[in-house]
């Protein structure tokens, strides 16, 4: 297959591109910085420079003759949500996706499938409720509002006859980048522990399963609409902390109070101090088999 990928040099993008290349696909990688792309992948991918995704349509010539698109572009959410950061987070996702679809509109034939990254933030805080794809979005929540508008822009590709899959991804466990990057120094020093009491659920997933699931959804004609990307059984923050401590052979009892996170991250701290028990109902219905279904072995694989 000939696949276009946005966000190819990010944590998930790198793994997705490597898997596509391993199976013999031809990859066109969209980038703002071609030298960065070459540093990561050398000459193994075809570069497509897209410098201003928030204000320019994706270059149509780079989408021509592509069988599918995997869209992973987006500003990092894990930062203090200043007014400027909120604008970047929203514009990178909403306008970036709008302009990707605009580029697809200028191509004949259009790519047949779009797998567009989304987020578990769609659901907002849900307590102990097991949340599948039929749950409605949260209201009055910054991140949920962004995700709703982000998904709406991706869904516009359906007007072009494109099969659209929106992957509501949870907390990705990866050896490089993501949530563990910020947690590991504390846990390795024996200073890790549950956050804000630890009762909130964490919809975790191993980066290999994120990438494998995206290719599975890319290939599976039955896949469309929202699909939760999270491990079969979410863990509470307390369970995650204890499992990470065991994987590192370190104690994990130092509690992190909510006010400390709020002082560091402001409004964004609510993503960590609340949670959602997101389950992958649609992914399992489609027959996907997880490589890392259990938390502790997944953590040992990541940190080992």
């Amino acid at each position: 297959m000939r696949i276009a990928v946005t966000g190819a040099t990010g944590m998930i993008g790198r793994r997705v591109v490597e898997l596509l290349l391993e199976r013999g696909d031809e990859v066109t990688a969209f980038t703002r910085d071609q030298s960065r792309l070459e540093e990561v992948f050398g000459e193994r991918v075809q570069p497509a420079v897209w410098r201003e995704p928030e204000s320019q349509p994706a270059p149509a010539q780079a989408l021509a003759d592509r069988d599918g698109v995997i869209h992973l572009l987006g500003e990092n959410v894990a930062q203090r949500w200043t007014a400027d950061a909120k604008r970047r987070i929203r514009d990178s996702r909403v306008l970036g996706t709008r302009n990707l679809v605009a580029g697809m509109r200028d191509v004949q034939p259009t790519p047949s499938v779009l797998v567009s990254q989304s987020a578990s933030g769609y659901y907002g805080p849900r307590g102990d409720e097991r949340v599948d794809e039929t749950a409605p979005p949260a209201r009055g929540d910054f991140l949920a509002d962004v995700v709703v508008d982000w998904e709406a822009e991706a869904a516009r590709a359906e007007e072009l006859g494109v099969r659209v899959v929106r992957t509501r991804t949870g907390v990705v466990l990866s050896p490089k980048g993501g949530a563990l990057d910020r947690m590991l120094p504390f846990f390795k020093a024996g200073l890790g522990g549950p956050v804000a009491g630890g009762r909130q659920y964490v919809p975790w997933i191993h980066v290999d399963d994120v990438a494998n699931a995206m290719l599975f959804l890319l290939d599976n004609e039955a896949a469309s609409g929202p699909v939760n990307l999270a491990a079969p059984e979410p863990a509470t923050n307390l369970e995650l902390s204890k499992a990470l401590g065991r994987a590192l052979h370190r104690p994990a009892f130092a509690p992190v109070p909510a006010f400390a996170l709020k002082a560091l991250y402001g409004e964004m701290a609510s993503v960590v101090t609340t949670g959602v028990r997101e389950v992958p109902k649609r992914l399992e219905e489609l027959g996907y088999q997880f490589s890392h279904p259990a938390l502790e072995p997944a953590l040992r694989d990541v940190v080992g």
Side-chain angles (χ1 to χ4, degrees):
M1 295 177 72
R2 293 163 295 182
I3 307 299
V5 181
T6 75
T9 59
M11 175 184 65
I12 296 172
R14 289 190 188 199
R15 190 70 186 114
V16 165
V17 170
E18 291 293 348
L19 289 178
L20 289 169
L21 293 173
E22 284 174 14
R23 73 180 199 175
D25 290 340
E26 181 183 299
V27 177
T28 299
F30 285 81
T31 183
R32 298 177 192 260
D33 182 354
Q34 187 167 338
S35 62
R36 173 64 175 155
L37 188 70
E38 292 171 351
E39 179 185 325
V40 174
F41 297 113
E43 298 181 355
R44 295 182 297 153
V45 303
Q46 297 179 5
V49 178
W50 187 18
R51 298 198 189 281
E52 299 294 337
E54 297 84 3
S55 60
Q56 299 174 342
Q61 69 274 13
L63 292 165
D65 300 319
R66 299 297 95 182
D67 298 301
V69 181
I70 298 178
H71 180 44
L72 303 171
L73 190 67
E75 173 79 8
N76 185 12
V77 170
Q79 57 179 300
R80 192 174 185 88
W81 287 353
T82 63
D84 186 56
K86 282 185 169 183
R87 178 190 58 76
R88 294 195 309 271
I89 289 167
R90 180 179 178 79
D91 288 356
S92 66
R93 287 164 171 75
V94 177
L95 300 184
T97 305
R98 181 180 301 171
N99 284 320
L100 173 65
V101 175
M104 294 172 67
R105 190 172 287 116
D106 291 336
V107 175
Q108 289 297 331
T110 333
S112 62
V113 56
L114 167 63
V115 177
S116 186
Q117 176 79 303
S118 184
S120 60
Y122 175 91
Y123 302 111
R126 304 298 264 243
D128 292 342
E129 174 191 358
R130 292 179 70 87
V131 176
D132 65 29
E133 294 85 352
T134 62
R139 298 295 182 187
D141 177 284
F142 165 70
L143 191 55
D145 290 345
V146 167
V147 176
V148 168
D149 292 345
W150 183 13
E151 289 195 3
E153 296 297 339
R156 290 187 179 188
E158 293 172 349
E159 300 167 6
L160 309 176
V162 177
R163 176 171 61 87
V164 178
V165 185
R166 307 187 302 277
T167 54
R168 294 174 182 164
T169 306
V171 176
V172 180
L173 305 182
S174 170
K176 294 181 180 178
L180 284 183
D181 249 4
R182 293 179 292 279
M183 296 169 64
L184 280 176
F186 298 99
F187 276 82
K188 285 180 177 179
L191 300 174
V195 174
R199 291 185 296 275
Q200 68 276 28
Y201 275 90
V202 180
W204 68 273
I205 183 169
H206 193 289
V207 67
D208 287 351
D209 277 315
V210 176
N212 281 318
M214 286 186 169
L215 270 61
F216 173 83
L217 297 168
L218 181 78
D219 297 341
N220 193 324
E221 293 288 341
S224 65
V227 178
N228 289 348
L229 295 194
E233 188 52 56
T236 65
N237 181 271
L238 177 60
E239 291 167 343
L240 176 64
S241 298
K242 288 182 175 180
L244 181 55
R246 288 192 295 269
L248 294 168
H249 307 290
R250 295 287 189 276
F253 303 110
V256 180
F259 74 81
L261 276 183
K262 290 177 182 176
L264 181 61
Y265 285 118
E267 184 183 352
M268 197 284 289
S270 65
V271 175
V272 182
T273 58
T274 62
V276 58
R277 196 176 183 181
E278 181 191 43
V279 294
K281 179 181 178 182
R282 184 62 182 138
L283 192 59
E284 293 186 314
E285 287 175 346
L286 289 165
Y288 179 76
Q289 298 295 314
F290 282 84
S291 301
H292 301 277
L295 177 60
E296 197 160 332
L299 284 168
R300 285 200 300 268
D301 181 77
V302 168
V303 303

